Amino acid sequence: MDASLVPADTSEDVRRRGAELPRQVAVLPVGSFEQHGPYLPLATDTLVACAVAREIAAAYPVHLLPPVTIGCSHEHADWPGTVSISSVTLHAMVGDIASSLRRSGVEALVVVNGHGGNYVLGNVVQESSARGERMALFPAAEDWEAARQRAGVATSLLSDMHAGEIETSILLHAHPESVRPGYETADFLADDRRHLLSLGMSAYTDSGVIGRPSLGSAEKGKELLASLADSFGTYFSFLTADPTGDPTADPAADPTAGERPGRP
């Protein structure tokens, strides 16, 4: 695995970071290992999740965790190289990680999801929150839409389903060495995918691509990540809110909270 995807923190780094906050926050990238057409790597979703998580960690005092690199990619099983785990396994993995973090004093967890097929992550967060635990799933569709508009991404979120403009742009910015020739001529759209869960991706695309990767650029990738880091501010505020209920200690009550602490 690329060493840049594995945090180099020591225990003392974790002890010091965010020590003044009412709650400490960890960020867990979750990706997949699945086909992304002939020009993006199988690890694309993991690379994207890690790029988003690194951008967050550069802007906020959070603990960056190593990624979960295999997710629920059953709809891509017709392509060589795709590997999946069950939703039950992914649910248990994230739940165990959150429990372990709480035992070591990190009470809040943000799951940065890079693969749309990891539906179960929403249930993990929903169930944890109902138990009174601090957990969030990021980015939401609204965060992606704001990022799409800010970056000038032309393809809608519906059309930009897989290996399209957004993913290609982020990798062109964060990992340009991983993008192979061919994305410039690989555009393919299939907006009506109502039977995807029953029939899989191969019912809608021969190449594995659904989107317009030809419109991708490193500049768009940079702006997408910057926008997502800005959007994270509200998540950071409610996750670190003072457990005593003192509004003066709540980052959400601070008008400077959106200025992305930690970013020069």
Side-chain angles (χ1 to χ4, degrees), residues 146-231:
R148 185 187 74 82
Q149 293 185 23
R150 172 167 160 178
V153 170
T155 317
S156 70
L157 294 182
L158 172 65
S159 297
D160 194 57
M161 188 260 185
H162 193 70
E165 187 176 358
I166 287 177
E167 289 184 321
T168 301
S169 293
I170 290 176
L171 289 197
L172 284 171
H173 167 64
H175 295 281
E177 74 287 348
S178 71
V179 182
R180 300 187 185 187
Y183 72 91
E184 304 90 343
T185 58
D187 292 5
F188 182 79
L189 299 180
D191 286 354
D192 185 345
R193 303 183 297 270
R194 70 186 72 187
H195 304 300
L196 176 66
L197 297 182
S198 298
L199 302 178
M201 281 283 288
S202 60
Y204 296 96
T205 171
D206 293 331
S207 67
V209 178
I210 297 179
R212 294 192 287 177
S214 69
L215 301 179
S217 72
E219 293 76 15
K220 291 177 181 178
K222 181 178 180 179
E223 285 301 309
L224 284 162
L225 293 176
S227 177
L228 291 174
D230 286 342
S231 293

Side-chain angles (χ1 to χ4, degrees), residues 29 35 37 43 46 65 95 98-99 112 114 137 148 151 188 192 198 207 213 243-244 259:
Q35 70 84 19
T46 299
L65 301 175
S99 295
V112 175
L137 183 61
R148 185 187 74 82
F188 182 79
D192 185 345
S198 298
S207 67
T244 67
E259 294 179 5

Side-chain angles (χ1 to χ4, degrees), residues 32-35 70-79 82-90 115 117-120 196-202:
S32 72
F33 200 73
E34 64 184 38
Q35 70 84 19
I70 297 177
C72 303
S73 302
H74 311 283
E75 70 273 26
H76 298 274
D78 288 336
W79 280 269
T82 297
V83 181
S84 288
I85 57 177
S86 73
S87 61
V88 173
T89 299
L90 184 56
H115 171 49
N118 289 334
Y119 308 112
V120 72
L196 176 66
L197 297 182
S198 298
L199 302 178
M201 281 283 288
S202 60

Side-chain angles (χ1 to χ4, degrees), residues 32-53:
S32 72
F33 200 73
E34 64 184 38
Q35 70 84 19
H36 275 78
Y39 51 85
L40 295 184
L42 293 161
T44 289
D45 290 339
T46 299
L47 293 173
V48 168
C50 286
V52 174

